[in-house]
Amino acid sequence: MTTNISADQVNQIIYNLHHDPFEILGCHLLEEGKNTKKWVVRAYLPKAEAAWVIRPTEQKEDPMNSVHHPNFFECIIETSELNHYQLKIKQGEHEKVIYDPYAFSSPYLTDEDIYLFSEGKHHRIYEKLGAHVGEVNGVKGVYFAVWAPNARNVSVIGDFNNWDGREHQMRKRNYTIWELFVPDIGPGTVYKYEIKNSEGHIYEKSDPYGFYREVRPNTASIVVDIDNIYQWHDEEWLEKRRNSDPLKQPVSVYEVHLGSWLHGSAAEKMPLLNGETADPVIVSEWNPGARFLSYYELAEKLIPYVKDMGYTHIELLPIAEHPFDGSWGYQVTGFYSPTSRFGRPEDFMYFVDKCHENNIGVILDWVPGHFPKDSHGLAYFDGTHLYEHADPRIGEHKEWGTLVFNYGRHEVRNFLVANVLFWFDKYHVDGIRVDAVASMLYRNYLRKEGEWIANEYGGDEHIEAVSFIREVNTVLFEYFPGILSIAEESTEWEKVSKPIYDGGLGFNLKWDMGWMHDMLDYFNIDPFFRQYHQNNVTFSMLYYYNENFMLALSHDEIVHGKSNMLGKMPGDEWQKYANVRALFTYMYTHPGKKTMFMSMEFGQWSEWNVWGDLEWHLLQYEPHQQLQQFFTDLNALYKQEPALYTHDFEYHGFYWIDCNDNAHSVVSFVRQSDDPEDALIVVCNFTPQPHSHYRIGVPEAGYYIELFNSDAKKYGGSNMGNLGGKWADQWSFHNKPYSLDLCLPPLAVLILKLDPTRVPEVTLTEPLDADEEE
């Protein structure tokens, strides 16, 4: 029979020039008669010497003929229907039978999917783009779909076709999205997209929406049936979260870099979920004897530790896939893939589930502000500046060596908005901490004059990024009420953590970078000179109610020559420990939620090293044991006392008793909740000079229990204090009707609480003048 296909049509397939290979390949009806139909089956099989069409239901084999090219085959068949067929292929001495991918022509993405995506409003686009296990006409396989509007041709490549882009050429839909169903493959398939630009240059790209990646340095994506790999057990946790207000709850966050919290031996296999194992992933060439712990191991080791220490949340430095360990995770290439350094997606699901089982929330560092230039990633994805701006004056962070997302492009916004929803939807996380928000808000961030472009109004605000951030927070709280959205924002941009209807950005928390800098500067000063810097301690309360602040002493504060917390403190070793205890007790009693980085809780001396373990051996020494016990007790007290967290962001929750005693570097204040009996009195002495008779005013008569003393002997302190508590004197002081005559320990913070069970017993004692205290 004579072919009706031209050499030009064949060449379009041979040279990857056709935007829709389904128009040529696969099964097509040629003629329709009264009793029979004439069909043509065409296949491009680059490695085949011969091919046949197999009709299983009719138990027939029809030979295919080469047409215009030795590897382009065609077969004309007369039969009533040709719905199911296979191809038998001869390659050398080997034969194999496959399903023809071009026999599955039904589109996976609907026109509505593509429309919503083009508008930036397909919030679950990750269920359509990427790789998805499916079944068509009883045949199992994987749907692939990728956004590459400017590509000339896109193919799926992988082990299943020997990485040959000629074999599985994709079809372009609506001029933007390429798709193909590949039969007879499934979970575990390793793949990439081979993308050709308009000039024929080839780029091999990982899947932007891929759910899993190979372990670095390899970069291919791996097919995962994400909805069928793990059975969750946290329905009660999610329901409770959905109906709670985290701003009224205790939030004490333990910030962790999973790759350096603790390592295992490189001689051991990596344990995974369900008793499975994987080859060890070596930490680095400088530490070849150590391997990363798996998500499964971390669930068994990290979670009990955090629970015993009393933290309410774990915050993970970015765990989305990234090629370079030294980036700490902040240069992401796989936005939808938990890094394979620590195991598989289901292992990370197990980790989150176990956190919830132990009443620990999980916060992820999310990095929508930039991405690296790695050739397998998003950069120059389809041969054009697709995800990034073409103009480096807005599309590049030269100081970081990264590219900036084009927030004005609907599909890019959709990629990012859907990405943040993805982590809550598929991995049940409880919050995000958005990295480097300031770099998104300002077009001139870290750019010299002449290296940036003003917005349409001549200003430096990045209007598209602002709109994007508001959209993220709007949809995030619509889908997942009760979660945390935290901004790391270092400028004076107004209303970062205020509602969008009030002109805010919509986060519900913002890191208080000002408090962090003020307090670290203050504690770095010799205590004698702190009297001249009292403003560092008190200034935060002048602006505090402008935002919902989180007080954070993070990883950024103990790297790059800044020293760890103990090393920042002046004085001898005893004073260093005392200063650390005083700083953190003030932090926990100051309004705001709390975050601290791993290693601070047991007093590591050296800076954080991303390639090393924490210095756990220090816990064999008593001072480090005592500091760890201090944080355990401080967390317990924080969760126990509603006054320390219920009104963090309302004036009712805090007032100064006295913030003006700079001569002694002492401040005192009250924390309150809705119940007057919850009120706490906090007194801070930030010098090594103790005060045996220091008087502060209090609002009520009665016996005040000393709930917490950071100078207690069990924490390594001098054990000065008030023998468990003090009765109030009936003498007014600090504009209060009663007062307490206290012993203030050196470099310490006291927390006192009125005991409602003890009958007030007031002592008529004339208060000492300030000069008489000493």
Side-chain angles (χ1 to χ4, degrees):
M1 296 182 182
T2 306
T3 182
N4 67 345
I5 191 169
S6 68
D8 181 60
Q9 288 176 300
V10 171
N11 286 336
Q12 283 186 320
I13 298 298
I14 301 301
Y15 298 108
N16 282 22
L17 295 172
H18 207 297
H19 72 283
D20 186 1
F22 282 88
E23 291 183 358
I24 297 175
L25 301 176
C27 180
H28 300 269
L29 180 63
L30 288 179
E31 295 178 11
E32 186 171 2
K34 287 185 178 181
N35 300 316
T36 188
K37 297 175 184 177
K38 186 180 292 185
W39 306 86
V40 62
V41 177
R42 303 190 190 100
Y44 175 45
L45 307 169
K47 304 179 186 70
E49 298 172 6
W52 294 262
V53 175
I54 298 177
R55 290 182 274 165
T57 57
E58 300 173 46
Q59 296 184 342
K60 289 186 177 180
E61 242 180 56
D62 301 289
M64 303 186 79
N65 302 310
S66 297
V67 180
H68 300 304
H69 189 280
N71 300 117
F72 191 97
F73 297 91
E74 180 180 84
C75 178
I76 296 176
I77 301 171
E78 290 190 19
T79 184
S80 58
E81 295 296 336
L82 190 55
N83 294 324
H84 302 286
Y85 69 90
Q86 294 171 290
L87 301 177
K88 185 169 80 171
I89 303 168
K90 184 176 187 299
Q91 296 178 196
E93 297 179 357
H94 302 283
E95 290 185 354
K96 64 179 180 179
V97 176
I98 67 168
Y99 283 100
D100 182 2
Y102 299 100
F104 304 91
S105 59
S106 299
Y108 181 53
L109 280 85
T110 66
D111 290 340
E112 183 180 14
D113 288 328
I114 297 173
Y115 170 76
L116 288 173
F117 179 60
S118 69
E119 292 293 309
K121 300 300 181 183
H122 201 313
H123 295 157
R124 285 192 164 89
I125 190 63
Y126 50 83
E127 295 180 345
K128 295 292 185 173
L129 294 182
H132 299 277
V133 176
E135 185 175 313
V136 180
N137 299 328
V139 178
K140 294 181 179 180
V142 177
Y143 289 101
F144 294 96
V146 62
W147 178 57
N150 303 302
R152 190 185 78 185
N153 182 270
V154 179
S155 300
V156 185
I157 56 175
D159 292 335
F160 54 91
N161 60 17
N162 295 310
W163 302 90
D164 189 339
R166 298 173 297 173
E167 292 199 17
H168 290 91
Q169 300 176 41
M170 304 177 78
R171 168 174 57 191
K172 195 173 189 180
R173 295 275 311 283
N174 294 58
Y175 307 103
T176 59
I177 292 172
W178 300 80
E179 67 176 6
L180 184 68
F181 178 76
V182 179
D184 285 335
I185 63 171
T189 299
V190 178
Y191 72 99
K192 281 187 175 182
Y193 296 114
E194 180 186 276
I195 297 177
K196 288 187 178 181
N197 70 1
S198 58
E199 298 176 351
H201 298 154
I202 294 177
Y203 306 88
E204 290 189 0
K205 294 290 188 177
S206 304
D207 190 345
Y209 289 87
F211 297 144
Y212 189 34
R213 293 273 178 93
E214 291 182 296
V215 176
R216 55 92 172 109
N218 296 330
T219 58
S221 300
I222 302 174
V223 175
V224 170
D225 188 5
I226 197 166
D227 291 324
N228 295 294
I229 55 174
Y230 185 76
Q231 180 64 49
W232 289 91
H233 307 91
D234 61 350
E235 295 85 359
E236 185 177 338
W237 169 276
L238 296 178
E239 181 63 24
K240 180 181 177 182
R241 186 188 74 186
R242 191 178 299 117
N243 295 290
S244 67
D245 179 1
L247 300 187
K248 300 278 187 185
Q249 303 298 320
V251 178
S252 172
V253 179
Y254 186 65
E255 187 188 26
V256 180
H257 178 261
L258 292 181
S260 56
W261 185 75
L262 182 68
H263 293 142
S265 169
E268 303 169 345
K269 287 276 192 177
M270 181 182 287
L272 304 176
L273 190 61
N274 299 323
E276 299 177 49
T277 61
D279 290 336
V281 181
I282 304 303
V283 172
S284 73
E285 60 187 76
W286 302 285
N287 194 2
R291 66 163 175 85
F292 292 122
L293 297 184
S294 66
Y295 295 118
Y296 178 81
E297 287 178 287
L298 288 160
E300 302 303 308
K301 296 177 184 292
L302 174 60
I303 293 172
Y305 178 78
V306 170
K307 183 178 182 179
D308 289 345
M309 290 297 298
Y311 295 99
T312 65
H313 291 73
I314 295 173
E315 179 185 326
L316 303 178
L317 268 65
I319 56 98
E321 194 60 80
H322 50 282
F324 177 45
D325 295 353
S327 74
W328 309 341
Y330 288 98
Q331 295 194 5
V332 178
T333 53
F335 281 79
Y336 287 82
S337 305
T339 178
S340 55
R341 287 168 177 80
F342 314 126
R344 307 162 302 181
E346 58 264 42
D347 300 311
F348 182 58
M349 291 176 177
Y350 173 78
F351 175 85
V352 175
D353 206 9
K354 293 297 286 186
C355 282
H356 292 168
E357 181 183 313
N358 288 276
N359 292 313
I360 297 170
V362 179
I363 300 169
L364 297 186
D365 263 19
W366 187 51
V367 192
H370 61 121
F371 60 93
K373 299 177 181 179
D374 296 71
S375 60
H376 68 278
L378 299 178
Y380 216 61
F381 187 78
D382 64 354
T384 68
H385 298 283
L386 188 64
Y387 285 88
E388 70 273 22
H389 287 275
D391 191 328
R393 292 176 295 174
I394 190 172
E396 184 176 1
H397 279 305
K398 290 186 177 180
E399 189 164 312
W400 297 343
T402 56
L403 301 173
V404 180
F405 284 104
N406 183 351
Y407 305 107
R409 188 162 197 166
H410 291 169
E411 296 89 346
V412 174
R413 287 166 69 107
N414 204 147
F415 172 79
L416 291 169
V417 171
N419 180 240
V420 73
L421 293 173
F422 166 82
W423 290 102
F424 287 88
D425 179 21
K426 301 301 184 184
Y427 288 97
H428 295 200
V429 302
D430 304 288
I432 53 167
R433 175 260 193 190
V434 182
D435 179 62
V437 172
S439 73
M440 302 164 66
L441 295 176
Y442 296 97
R443 286 175 171 241
N444 60 350
Y445 186 83
L446 294 182
R447 292 182 174 91
K448 299 175 182 177
E449 195 64 36
E451 294 183 353
W452 62 281
I453 305 173
N455 62 35
E456 59 192 285
Y457 305 106
D460 60 1
E461 301 88 356
H462 198 321
I463 296 171
E464 296 86 356
V466 172
S467 173
F468 159 72
I469 290 170
R470 287 173 171 159
E471 182 179 359
V472 164
N473 285 316
T474 297
V475 300
L476 193 51
F477 288 110
E478 284 179 359
Y479 282 101
F480 302 103
I483 58 89
L484 291 169
S485 180
I486 308 163
E488 186 223 5
E489 203 286 315
S490 55
T491 72
E492 296 180 357
W493 190 283
E494 294 184 352
K495 299 184 178 181
V496 171
S497 57
K498 298 300 180 181
I500 293 165
Y501 63 75
D502 191 31
L505 294 182
F507 294 98
N508 57 359
L509 286 171
K510 171 186 173 176
W511 275 15
D512 191 346
M513 311 294 279
W515 178 90
M516 177 271 294
H517 286 296
D518 285 344
M519 294 312 298
L520 292 183
D521 288 348
Y522 181 81
F523 273 87
N524 187 248
I525 298 170
D526 184 289
F528 176 80
F529 296 103
R530 289 177 182 171
Q531 61 186 305
Y532 306 113
H533 299 275
Q534 186 89 339
N535 188 57
N536 283 48
V537 178
T538 60
F539 180 67
S540 59
M541 294 312 300
L542 291 178
Y543 63 78
Y544 191 77
Y545 299 102
N546 295 337
E547 299 281 359
N548 300 330
F549 281 117
M550 171 171 272
L551 309 182
L553 293 171
S554 73
H555 63 278
D556 283 326
E557 311 320 318
I558 57 170
V559 290
H560 304 323
K562 298 176 186 176
S563 182
N564 213 310
M565 298 306 295
L566 281 171
K568 296 177 188 290
M569 303 301 168
D572 58 23
E573 184 171 309
W574 186 93
Q575 290 190 33
K576 289 180 183 294
Y577 279 98
N579 271 301
V580 167
R581 295 193 301 270
L583 167 59
F584 277 96
T585 311
Y586 181 57
M587 172 182 172
Y588 270 68
T589 54
H590 188 289
K593 307 309 179 185
K594 328 297 177 188
T595 292
M596 60 182 290
F597 189 57
M598 64 182 194
S599 80
M600 295 180 183
E601 81 276 11
F602 63 84
Q604 180 167 309
W605 285 95
S606 63
E607 292 185 348
W608 170 48
N609 172 15
V610 71
W611 286 287
D613 284 25
L614 298 187
E615 296 177 353
W616 295 107
H617 66 277
L618 294 175
L619 284 170
Q620 66 185 298
Y621 303 110
E622 188 177 32
H624 299 278
Q625 297 170 7
Q626 291 170 327
L627 187 61
Q628 189 182 54
Q629 184 62 52
F630 161 81
F631 277 105
T632 301
D633 292 351
L634 188 59
N635 275 317
L637 178 74
Y638 173 63
K639 293 187 292 185
Q640 167 191 311
E641 297 297 329
L644 292 178
Y645 58 79
T646 53
H647 291 297
D648 275 326
F649 311 112
E650 301 163 41
Y651 288 100
H652 173 70
F654 172 95
Y655 67 84
W656 291 111
I657 296 174
D658 180 26
C659 60
N660 297 312
D661 188 7
N662 60 294
H664 298 96
S665 298
V666 172
V667 296
S668 53
F669 54 89
V670 175
R671 294 299 311 276
Q672 300 180 121
S673 74
D674 292 321
D675 187 345
E677 291 188 355
D678 290 337
L680 300 178
I681 308 296
V682 181
V683 189
C684 311
N685 176 20
F686 292 132
T687 72
Q689 175 63 52
H691 305 288
S692 57
H693 293 284
Y694 192 92
R695 188 167 294 274
I696 64 163
V698 291
E700 296 185 56
Y703 184 79
Y704 285 79
I705 304 168
E706 188 176 87
L707 281 184
F708 191 84
N709 181 346
S710 69
D711 188 54
K713 182 179 180 181
K714 64 178 177 177
Y715 307 140
S718 65
N719 213 36
M720 293 184 68
N722 297 277
L723 301 177
K726 276 292 186 79
W727 287 98
D729 298 326
Q730 193 174 1
W731 289 101
S732 63
F733 208 71
H734 294 140
N735 295 315
K736 301 291 183 292
Y738 305 96
S739 57
L740 292 172
D741 179 11
L742 297 172
C743 171
L744 300 191
L747 292 170
V749 177
L750 301 177
I751 304 174
L752 302 108
K753 184 178 184 180
L754 185 65
D755 185 349
T757 67
R758 302 184 69 165
V759 178
E761 174 185 308
V762 294
T763 305
L764 302 178
T765 303
E766 185 69 34
L768 296 172
D769 294 332
D771 292 340
E772 298 176 306
E773 288 184 15
E774 307 304 327

